[in-house]
Amino acid sequence: MASMALAVASIAFSAVYEWDGSEGWWMLAEPAAFTALGFLSTRWSSPRLAAAATFVLAVGAALALLRYVSGDGWLAVVEGSTWAVGPILAATAAVFLRRLEAEHVGAVEAARRRQRLDLASDLHDFVAHDVSEIVARAQAGRMVLAGGDERVEALLARIEEAGLRALGSMDQAVHMLRDEAEQRLRPVGGLADLDELVERFGSAGRASITLERNLVDEVGREVGAVAHRVVAEALTNVRRHAPEATEVRVEVEAADELLRVSVFDNGSGAAKSARDGGGSGLAGLAERAESLGGALEAGPREGGWRTEVRLPLKAEVKS
């Protein structure tokens, strides 16, 4: 680096220079230049190189002034060393500016990441839910409205296929928007919102749905949000992977300081393998449940499929 080369040359010159007693402003030119170089080197170089350059520049500034000190001993050393403070203070100011810049860049990146997560959350929680409702209505229409008309049957089948493709594309978009280290979505509902969620599901398809509550203790906001998400994801998966299901039951109960939320459906066994490869929502929710000290399970049961999450009523987020 050029600043270090100049400082080394100055140190070598100081070792052989003999002062003739003349004085002038030029005596301060080198220390001042080394102070400026200390700032520039630290501001734009790597930390290790900046530290080495600051040390060499500080030594060079001190020795440059010692050329013009007539005294000997500690007094001369102290007088020369005062000029070493210049490059050190300049480097300190540069470090402060670098830190401010790093914090600004980090804040901007955090804001962008938050926006991506919010967009992924909206896609997952609202758009995907609405598209799955379109798919469910198309499936119901094929059973009720077609009436043997092949054209109506084909039209509704194409609508269903287009909706399923849209849901698959949305899963990929959510994957791209999320960071690997942040697979958790922001809360959008709680246990109080389950009635509306269940009503929407029941009105969009032919499957009957019931909601059973056995809950006395209050549930924290984070726990309620995760429970709501599990129900929403389970119902979305019923629409996507078990359109033939005719009964769905949602159970919410608290016992032994645990909240248990279960979603059962009587979808056929043929849908089980498809649901194993469903969207990424349950995987992210399983991680969130674990961070709260709970667990999420999803899998086949006799006569259908079960999704269940168990969460401590007084959950604390684990780091």
Side-chain angles (χ1 to χ4, degrees), residues 12-40:
F13 180 71
S14 298
V16 299
Y17 178 76
E18 294 184 4
W19 185 39
D20 59 5
S22 59
E23 297 180 354
W25 63 268
W26 46 267
M27 297 172 59
L28 304 178
E30 280 188 67
F34 289 164
T35 297
L37 289 174
F39 176 85
L40 295 175

mmCIF file of all heavy atoms in Angstrom, residues 12-40:
data_model
loop_
_atom_site.group_PDB
_atom_site.id
_atom_site.type_symbol
_atom_site.label_atom_id
_atom_site.label_comp_id
_atom_site.label_asym_id
_atom_site.label_seq_id
_atom_site.Cartn_x
_atom_site.Cartn_y
_atom_site.Cartn_z
ATOM 1 N N ALA A 12 13.166 5.687 7.176
ATOM 2 C CA ALA A 12 14.552 5.481 6.733
ATOM 3 C C ALA A 12 15.275 6.812 6.584
ATOM 4 O O ALA A 12 16.468 6.944 6.941
ATOM 5 C CB ALA A 12 14.553 4.718 5.408
ATOM 6 N N PHE A 13 14.585 7.823 6.074
ATOM 7 C CA PHE A 13 15.195 9.145 5.926
ATOM 8 C C PHE A 13 15.513 9.758 7.278
ATOM 9 O O PHE A 13 16.556 10.420 7.465
ATOM 10 C CB PHE A 13 14.262 10.051 5.124
ATOM 11 C CG PHE A 13 14.799 11.432 4.908
ATOM 12 C CD1 PHE A 13 15.862 11.651 4.037
ATOM 13 C CD2 PHE A 13 14.258 12.526 5.579
ATOM 14 C CE1 PHE A 13 16.363 12.931 3.832
ATOM 15 C CE2 PHE A 13 14.752 13.798 5.381
ATOM 16 C CZ PHE A 13 15.812 14.011 4.502
ATOM 17 N N SER A 14 14.611 9.555 8.245
ATOM 18 C CA SER A 14 14.844 10.094 9.593
ATOM 19 C C SER A 14 16.091 9.498 10.228
ATOM 20 O O SER A 14 16.764 10.147 11.048
ATOM 21 C CB SER A 14 13.627 9.824 10.483
ATOM 22 O OG SER A 14 12.465 10.465 9.979
ATOM 23 N N ALA A 15 16.408 8.256 9.866
ATOM 24 C CA ALA A 15 17.571 7.599 10.478
ATOM 25 C C ALA A 15 18.895 8.210 10.023
ATOM 26 O O ALA A 15 19.899 8.129 10.744
ATOM 27 C CB ALA A 15 17.536 6.111 10.139
ATOM 28 N N VAL A 16 18.922 8.844 8.849
ATOM 29 C CA VAL A 16 20.189 9.376 8.321
ATOM 30 C C VAL A 16 20.213 10.902 8.255
ATOM 31 O O VAL A 16 21.263 11.496 7.979
ATOM 32 C CB VAL A 16 20.453 8.794 6.906
ATOM 33 C CG1 VAL A 16 20.570 7.272 6.969
ATOM 34 C CG2 VAL A 16 19.346 9.190 5.931
ATOM 35 N N TYR A 17 19.062 11.558 8.516
ATOM 36 C CA TYR A 17 18.990 13.014 8.359
ATOM 37 C C TYR A 17 19.666 13.703 9.533
ATOM 38 O O TYR A 17 19.522 13.302 10.685
ATOM 39 C CB TYR A 17 17.529 13.453 8.256
ATOM 40 C CG TYR A 17 17.344 14.946 8.142
ATOM 41 C CD1 TYR A 17 17.599 15.593 6.943
ATOM 42 C CD2 TYR A 17 16.917 15.696 9.234
ATOM 43 C CE1 TYR A 17 17.428 16.959 6.823
ATOM 44 C CE2 TYR A 17 16.740 17.067 9.129
ATOM 45 C CZ TYR A 17 17.001 17.684 7.933
ATOM 46 O OH TYR A 17 16.825 19.049 7.827
ATOM 47 N N GLU A 18 20.399 14.781 9.237
ATOM 48 C CA GLU A 18 21.033 15.618 10.279
ATOM 49 C C GLU A 18 20.487 17.032 10.138
ATOM 50 O O GLU A 18 20.628 17.671 9.088
ATOM 51 C CB GLU A 18 22.548 15.612 10.120
ATOM 52 C CG GLU A 18 23.188 14.254 10.382
ATOM 53 C CD GLU A 18 24.710 14.324 10.299
ATOM 54 O OE1 GLU A 18 25.235 15.451 10.107
ATOM 55 O OE2 GLU A 18 25.341 13.269 10.435
ATOM 56 N N TRP A 19 19.853 17.521 11.195
ATOM 57 C CA TRP A 19 19.223 18.836 11.177
ATOM 58 C C TRP A 19 20.261 19.932 11.234
ATOM 59 O O TRP A 19 21.193 19.907 12.058
ATOM 60 C CB TRP A 19 18.258 18.930 12.353
ATOM 61 C CG TRP A 19 17.450 20.202 12.383
ATOM 62 C CD1 TRP A 19 16.909 20.839 11.338
ATOM 63 C CD2 TRP A 19 17.114 20.955 13.548
ATOM 64 N NE1 TRP A 19 16.210 21.945 11.737
ATOM 65 C CE2 TRP A 19 16.338 22.054 13.110
ATOM 66 C CE3 TRP A 19 17.384 20.826 14.919
ATOM 67 C CZ2 TRP A 19 15.818 23.015 13.993
ATOM 68 C CZ3 TRP A 19 16.862 21.747 15.783
ATOM 69 C CH2 TRP A 19 16.085 22.842 15.325
ATOM 70 N N ASP A 20 20.073 20.965 10.376
ATOM 71 C CA ASP A 20 21.023 22.076 10.350
ATOM 72 C C ASP A 20 20.553 23.279 11.132
ATOM 73 O O ASP A 20 21.183 24.350 11.082
ATOM 74 C CB ASP A 20 21.310 22.485 8.897
ATOM 75 C CG ASP A 20 20.029 22.897 8.167
ATOM 76 O OD1 ASP A 20 18.961 22.953 8.818
ATOM 77 O OD2 ASP A 20 20.089 23.158 6.944
ATOM 78 N N GLY A 21 19.416 23.147 11.852
ATOM 79 C CA GLY A 21 18.904 24.220 12.688
ATOM 80 C C GLY A 21 17.892 25.122 12.004
ATOM 81 O O GLY A 21 17.289 25.976 12.657
ATOM 82 N N SER A 22 17.655 24.962 10.724
ATOM 83 C CA SER A 22 16.671 25.784 10.032
ATOM 84 C C SER A 22 15.263 25.330 10.415
ATOM 85 O O SER A 22 15.037 24.171 10.748
ATOM 86 C CB SER A 22 16.859 25.678 8.511
ATOM 87 O OG SER A 22 16.717 24.320 8.101
ATOM 88 N N GLU A 23 14.288 26.263 10.371
ATOM 89 C CA GLU A 23 12.918 25.967 10.754
ATOM 90 C C GLU A 23 11.947 26.499 9.708
ATOM 91 O O GLU A 23 12.282 27.436 8.958
ATOM 92 C CB GLU A 23 12.584 26.580 12.123
ATOM 93 C CG GLU A 23 13.423 26.025 13.272
ATOM 94 C CD GLU A 23 13.054 26.648 14.593
ATOM 95 O OE1 GLU A 23 12.223 27.582 14.597
ATOM 96 O OE2 GLU A 23 13.569 26.195 15.639
ATOM 97 N N GLY A 24 10.746 25.938 9.656
ATOM 98 C CA GLY A 24 9.725 26.398 8.720
ATOM 99 C C GLY A 24 8.499 25.515 8.793
ATOM 100 O O GLY A 24 8.465 24.506 9.506
ATOM 101 N N TRP A 25 7.484 25.891 8.020
ATOM 102 C CA TRP A 25 6.228 25.133 8.036
ATOM 103 C C TRP A 25 6.409 23.718 7.529
ATOM 104 O O TRP A 25 5.651 22.820 7.874
ATOM 105 C CB TRP A 25 5.185 25.852 7.185
ATOM 106 C CG TRP A 25 5.573 25.938 5.727
ATOM 107 C CD1 TRP A 25 6.246 26.954 5.125
ATOM 108 C CD2 TRP A 25 5.341 24.944 4.739
ATOM 109 N NE1 TRP A 25 6.456 26.668 3.797
ATOM 110 C CE2 TRP A 25 5.891 25.424 3.534
ATOM 111 C CE3 TRP A 25 4.718 23.694 4.734
ATOM 112 C CZ2 TRP A 25 5.848 24.703 2.360
ATOM 113 C CZ3 TRP A 25 4.671 22.977 3.560
ATOM 114 C CH2 TRP A 25 5.233 23.477 2.374
ATOM 115 N N TRP A 26 7.396 23.526 6.690
ATOM 116 C CA TRP A 26 7.629 22.218 6.102
ATOM 117 C C TRP A 26 7.936 21.151 7.157
ATOM 118 O O TRP A 26 7.839 19.953 6.887
ATOM 119 C CB TRP A 26 8.776 22.300 5.086
ATOM 120 C CG TRP A 26 9.973 23.074 5.585
ATOM 121 C CD1 TRP A 26 10.229 24.393 5.412
ATOM 122 C CD2 TRP A 26 11.053 22.537 6.352
ATOM 123 N NE1 TRP A 26 11.401 24.760 6.014
ATOM 124 C CE2 TRP A 26 11.934 23.619 6.608
ATOM 125 C CE3 TRP A 26 11.382 21.283 6.855
ATOM 126 C CZ2 TRP A 26 13.111 23.472 7.347
ATOM 127 C CZ3 TRP A 26 12.547 21.140 7.569
ATOM 128 C CH2 TRP A 26 13.402 22.222 7.819
ATOM 129 N N MET A 27 8.317 21.616 8.384
ATOM 130 C CA MET A 27 8.606 20.655 9.449
ATOM 131 C C MET A 27 7.350 19.866 9.851
ATOM 132 O O MET A 27 7.434 18.721 10.315
ATOM 133 C CB MET A 27 9.162 21.378 10.675
ATOM 134 C CG MET A 27 10.496 22.075 10.421
ATOM 135 S SD MET A 27 11.013 23.095 11.809
ATOM 136 C CE MET A 27 11.086 21.895 13.117
ATOM 137 N N LEU A 28 6.193 20.490 9.655
ATOM 138 C CA LEU A 28 4.925 19.842 10.047
ATOM 139 C C LEU A 28 4.226 19.167 8.871
ATOM 140 O O LEU A 28 3.158 18.577 9.038
ATOM 141 C CB LEU A 28 3.980 20.883 10.664
ATOM 142 C CG LEU A 28 4.533 21.659 11.862
ATOM 143 C CD1 LEU A 28 3.507 22.672 12.334
ATOM 144 C CD2 LEU A 28 4.926 20.722 12.986
ATOM 145 N N ALA A 29 4.807 19.296 7.688
ATOM 146 C CA ALA A 29 4.131 18.767 6.505
ATOM 147 C C ALA A 29 3.988 17.250 6.562
ATOM 148 O O ALA A 29 2.919 16.694 6.269
ATOM 149 C CB ALA A 29 4.883 19.190 5.247
ATOM 150 N N GLU A 30 5.064 16.560 6.935
ATOM 151 C CA GLU A 30 5.002 15.092 6.959
ATOM 152 C C GLU A 30 4.027 14.566 8.008
ATOM 153 O O GLU A 30 3.186 13.711 7.683
ATOM 154 C CB GLU A 30 6.397 14.524 7.186
ATOM 155 C CG GLU A 30 7.254 14.486 5.940
ATOM 156 C CD GLU A 30 8.560 13.747 6.180
ATOM 157 O OE1 GLU A 30 8.509 12.528 6.409
ATOM 158 O OE2 GLU A 30 9.609 14.414 6.158
ATOM 159 N N PRO A 31 4.098 15.049 9.268
ATOM 160 C CA PRO A 31 3.108 14.548 10.241
ATOM 161 C C PRO A 31 1.662 14.810 9.807
ATOM 162 O O PRO A 31 0.787 13.977 10.014
ATOM 163 C CB PRO A 31 3.457 15.313 11.521
ATOM 164 C CG PRO A 31 4.904 15.635 11.376
ATOM 165 C CD PRO A 31 5.098 15.909 9.916
ATOM 166 N N ALA A 32 1.430 15.990 9.207
ATOM 167 C CA ALA A 32 0.071 16.293 8.762
ATOM 168 C C ALA A 32 -0.345 15.353 7.630
ATOM 169 O O ALA A 32 -1.486 14.862 7.585
ATOM 170 C CB ALA A 32 -0.006 17.741 8.302
ATOM 171 N N ALA A 33 0.574 15.106 6.705
ATOM 172 C CA ALA A 33 0.263 14.196 5.602
ATOM 173 C C ALA A 33 0.005 12.784 6.110
ATOM 174 O O ALA A 33 -0.906 12.093 5.634
ATOM 175 C CB ALA A 33 1.407 14.198 4.591
ATOM 176 N N PHE A 34 0.805 12.355 7.105
ATOM 177 C CA PHE A 34 0.618 11.013 7.649
ATOM 178 C C PHE A 34 -0.711 10.899 8.397
ATOM 179 O O PHE A 34 -1.336 9.838 8.426
ATOM 180 C CB PHE A 34 1.776 10.654 8.574
ATOM 181 C CG PHE A 34 3.071 10.406 7.845
ATOM 182 C CD1 PHE A 34 4.277 10.399 8.531
ATOM 183 C CD2 PHE A 34 3.092 10.178 6.485
ATOM 184 C CE1 PHE A 34 5.472 10.166 7.868
ATOM 185 C CE2 PHE A 34 4.274 9.957 5.811
ATOM 186 C CZ PHE A 34 5.460 9.948 6.497
ATOM 187 N N THR A 35 -1.158 11.996 9.004
ATOM 188 C CA THR A 35 -2.471 11.993 9.658
ATOM 189 C C THR A 35 -3.580 11.782 8.631
ATOM 190 O O THR A 35 -4.501 10.978 8.839
ATOM 191 C CB THR A 35 -2.686 13.320 10.411
ATOM 192 O OG1 THR A 35 -1.696 13.440 11.439
ATOM 193 C CG2 THR A 35 -4.073 13.360 11.035
ATOM 194 N N ALA A 36 -3.503 12.506 7.502
ATOM 195 C CA ALA A 36 -4.496 12.328 6.444
ATOM 196 C C ALA A 36 -4.449 10.928 5.868
ATOM 197 O O ALA A 36 -5.490 10.297 5.619
ATOM 198 C CB ALA A 36 -4.264 13.372 5.350
ATOM 199 N N LEU A 37 -3.223 10.402 5.662
ATOM 200 C CA LEU A 37 -3.095 9.049 5.128
ATOM 201 C C LEU A 37 -3.623 8.011 6.113
ATOM 202 O O LEU A 37 -4.167 6.981 5.710
ATOM 203 C CB LEU A 37 -1.635 8.758 4.790
ATOM 204 C CG LEU A 37 -1.068 9.496 3.575
ATOM 205 C CD1 LEU A 37 0.430 9.228 3.446
ATOM 206 C CD2 LEU A 37 -1.794 9.079 2.301
ATOM 207 N N GLY A 38 -3.483 8.275 7.411
ATOM 208 C CA GLY A 38 -4.023 7.360 8.415
ATOM 209 C C GLY A 38 -5.529 7.245 8.312
ATOM 210 O O GLY A 38 -6.101 6.163 8.444
ATOM 211 N N PHE A 39 -6.201 8.371 8.048
ATOM 212 C CA PHE A 39 -7.650 8.350 7.890
ATOM 213 C C PHE A 39 -8.044 7.583 6.631
ATOM 214 O O PHE A 39 -8.926 6.714 6.672
ATOM 215 C CB PHE A 39 -8.184 9.777 7.828
ATOM 216 C CG PHE A 39 -9.655 9.864 7.573
ATOM 217 C CD1 PHE A 39 -10.558 9.768 8.617
ATOM 218 C CD2 PHE A 39 -10.143 10.010 6.277
ATOM 219 C CE1 PHE A 39 -11.927 9.831 8.380
ATOM 220 C CE2 PHE A 39 -11.507 10.069 6.036
ATOM 221 C CZ PHE A 39 -12.395 9.978 7.086
ATOM 222 N N LEU A 40 -7.400 7.913 5.516
ATOM 223 C CA LEU A 40 -7.761 7.281 4.246
ATOM 224 C C LEU A 40 -7.480 5.785 4.256
ATOM 225 O O LEU A 40 -8.273 4.993 3.743
ATOM 226 C CB LEU A 40 -6.992 7.961 3.112
ATOM 227 C CG LEU A 40 -7.335 9.439 2.861
ATOM 228 C CD1 LEU A 40 -6.419 10.017 1.796
ATOM 229 C CD2 LEU A 40 -8.792 9.598 2.460
#
